[in-house]
Amino acid sequence: MKTKAVRLYGKNDLRLEEFELPAIKEDEILAKIVCDSICMSSFKATHEADTHKRVPRDVAQNPVIIGHEFAGELVEVGSKWENRFRAGDKFSIQPALNDRNGPVGPLSAPGYSYRYIGGDATYAVIPNEVMENDCLLHYAGKGFYPASLSEPLSCVIGAMHANYHTAQGSYIHQMEIRDGGNMAVLAGVGPMGLAAVNYAIHRPDRKPKLMIVTDIDPARLDRAALLYSPEEAARNGIELKYINTGSMKDPVAELHAMTGGYGYDDVFVFAPVAPIIEQADAILAVDGCLNFFAGPAKTDFKAPFNFYNVHYARTHIVGTSGGNNDDMVEALDMMSKGLDPAGLVTHIGGINAVIDTTMNLPAIPGGKKLIYTHINMPLTPITEFEEKGQTNPLYAELHKRCAANSGLWNIEAEACLLANAKNLN
């Protein structure tokens, strides 16, 4: 079967190509990719290429398909896996395989390391190690984009599970955020920060009693407050405040004061910026845990940290990169029960938009860029559907469906696009 895919050949060398996939082996599965959400990690891999830890050194000779936040349906199942999967099943994939036998060892991941599987393709061959490591996951919910966005949601789920605390006089780590504690989400109104806010509000078990979400962009803060409002958070037992630290004379003092001088049990940093890390360190409570979520591009990235408090106040730091299988299963379960990640999505595009979007991702404002791989469509902000609808009826229909959902992407809009995409041009 032929596939159309975006492949990485070297630094800043992405190519949209059509080529033949090999016939599947008995331990492989052929899949149709429906959508992929473009991640900043793909931007980093594109710019680093064969120096990236997940990209093979011989990528120039054996290019890899990019994209790792994808969903679709199975087309043909090899005999080894017929007892677990069937053609027509909807799926998502946990890309962190942790398999030593992959192209680059345990760091191998679809979307970085493989010639025949990645999210920015029409069809892909799922290799045996994906199933062996339980990384091919069923999705029972409606539509496809929630399953695509389950991967980024799993990353913030993993981050919250990775935080830990101790008791005075004990060295036993009590894993998880502090239930009923104070949480700060710094630089927190980008796509991943919003995913963390969404999860913290709607998770069924432990929650903070106070959650402060900061940024310096008033428009982004206002949008976040509309998507995940303080009123909605209050209904779920959380006092939620969106704070513009750019307008504060002394952000550390003012943020600290919001806790009555106690500080924050859990602080998440969603931008690799040294002053934000210093700010996070300064507002930690005794036994506070700082989670450095944002992955820096520079290998020598550093920031000061108060080691007096490490010794006397038991403050500590953790970092997570992606979620694991359990996190992804939890994400998919929440999606199938109605958790809608649409607030993360601000742009829709087709496979023809992948290269420019990936190469220039940091310069494109907004949240997640969602790609439908069987469609040709310029990357389009959802806010521009109405204007484009004046000359194209399909955009008008997409606007109508999004307007009925508070301006957000939704299952009905997705179905409309998939059914009528040929009318885009």
Side-chain angles (χ1 to χ4, degrees):
M1 174 177 284
K2 286 188 181 296
T3 188
K4 183 180 287 186
V6 176
R7 296 198 285 185
L8 176 66
Y9 281 81
K11 290 181 173 63
N12 303 317
D13 187 359
L14 292 176
R15 307 177 197 177
L16 176 59
E17 301 173 317
E18 188 173 58
F19 56 94
E20 194 76 28
L21 288 173
I24 66 166
K25 302 172 186 175
E26 64 177 15
D27 61 356
E28 296 177 332
I29 295 176
L30 178 66
K32 176 183 178 181
I33 311 299
V34 175
C35 57
D36 176 62
S37 172
I38 297 182
C39 177
M40 186 63 71
S41 296
S42 291
F43 166 82
K44 294 173 185 175
T46 297
H47 286 261
E48 296 175 21
D50 58 354
T51 62
H52 192 282
K53 292 185 180 298
R54 294 188 185 274
V55 176
R57 302 291 84 91
D58 66 346
V59 68
Q61 293 76 40
N62 294 295
V64 297
I65 302 175
I66 66 166
H68 60 276
E69 298 178 358
F70 58 98
E73 57 187 8
L74 305 183
V75 175
E76 182 182 352
V77 179
S79 58
K80 179 178 178 178
W81 301 107
E82 286 178 341
N83 63 329
R84 287 181 55 187
F85 301 99
R86 294 180 300 174
D89 286 352
K90 292 198 292 187
F91 75 91
S92 187
I93 282 180
Q94 164 56 263
L97 305 181
N98 298 311
D99 190 292
R100 293 183 178 275
N101 298 316
V104 291
L107 289 176
S108 298
Y112 300 91
S113 317
Y114 288 87
R115 296 179 65 187
Y116 301 121
I117 182 172
D120 292 316
T122 52
Y123 293 90
V125 175
I126 306 176
N128 179 63
E129 53 262 41
V130 173
M131 284 73 76
E132 287 284 2
N133 290 284
D134 295 323
C135 290
L136 177 60
L137 304 173
H138 289 282
Y139 171 60
K142 296 180 180 179
F144 290 93
Y145 77 85
S148 178
L149 293 169
S150 66
E151 197 282 331
L153 181 61
S154 78
C155 296
V156 300
I157 290 174
M160 293 199 186
H161 291 340
N163 271 32
Y164 71 90
H165 298 279
T166 60
Q168 183 71 42
S170 170
Y171 301 116
I172 297 175
H173 289 183
Q174 300 164 349
M175 302 304 297
E176 262 284 6
I177 63 169
R178 190 176 297 284
D179 193 24
N182 298 330
M183 178 187 291
V185 183
L186 306 187
V189 294
M192 298 308 294
L194 290 177
V197 173
N198 191 10
Y199 174 68
I201 291 174
H202 295 107
R203 63 182 300 185
D205 48 1
R206 68 176 56 222
K207 304 175 186 288
K209 69 177 180 182
L210 172 68
M211 180 162 58
I212 303 296
V213 183
T214 74
D215 203 83
I216 58 173
D217 186 326
R220 281 158 53 103
L221 285 162
D222 289 345
R223 180 177 183 270
L226 288 174
L227 293 174
Y228 309 113
S229 69
E231 293 76 18
E232 180 186 10
R235 290 192 292 270
N236 287 275
I238 300 172
E239 181 183 3
L240 171 60
K241 297 180 179 181
Y242 291 99
I243 304 297
N244 185 347
T245 52
S247 63
M248 291 179 166
K249 290 184 178 180
D250 188 343
V252 167
E254 294 185 50
L255 291 173
H256 210 265
M258 292 177 188
T259 67
Y262 174 86
Y264 294 85
D265 302 289
D266 299 280
V267 180
F268 292 84
V269 175
F270 279 88
V273 179
I276 296 179
I277 296 172
E278 292 184 67
Q279 185 182 101
D281 177 28
I283 63 175
L284 287 171
V286 172
D287 190 41
C289 185
L290 189 162
N291 189 303
F292 181 53
F293 184 92
K298 296 182 178 180
T299 57
D300 60 350
F301 178 79
K302 298 176 183 178
F305 199 76
N306 188 326
F307 281 89
Y308 181 91
N309 287 340
V310 170
H311 188 84
Y312 289 106
R314 310 195 319 277
T315 59
H316 46 275
I317 187 167
V318 300
T320 51
S321 179
N324 61 26
N325 284 27
D326 291 341
D327 303 326
M328 191 98 166
V329 168
E330 182 179 348
L332 287 165
D333 181 63
M334 293 182 74
M335 302 288 192
S336 66
K337 292 177 180 176
L339 181 73
D340 191 349
L344 306 183
V345 179
T346 57
H347 294 65
I348 306 296
I351 196 167
N352 57 304
V354 170
I355 293 176
D356 285 346
T357 302
T358 304
M359 295 280 288
N360 301 291
L361 193 58
I364 304 173
K368 279 288 187 183
K369 284 68 183 176
L370 184 63
I371 298 295
Y372 287 90
T373 61
H374 289 259
I375 292 170
N376 282 327
M377 175 182 179
L379 187 71
T380 307
I382 295 172
T383 55
E384 293 183 7
F385 285 174
E386 182 176 18
E387 179 184 350
K388 289 183 177 293
Q390 296 175 11
T391 55
N392 186 308
L394 179 51
Y395 280 110
E397 284 297 319
L398 295 175
H399 167 67
K400 179 180 177 181
R401 285 162 172 75
C402 291
N405 191 45
S406 303
L408 302 179
W409 193 241
N410 54 81
I411 299 298
E412 291 74 21
E414 178 182 77
C416 178
L417 177 63
L418 292 174
N420 300 285
K422 64 177 181 290
N423 299 320
L424 280 169
N425 299 312

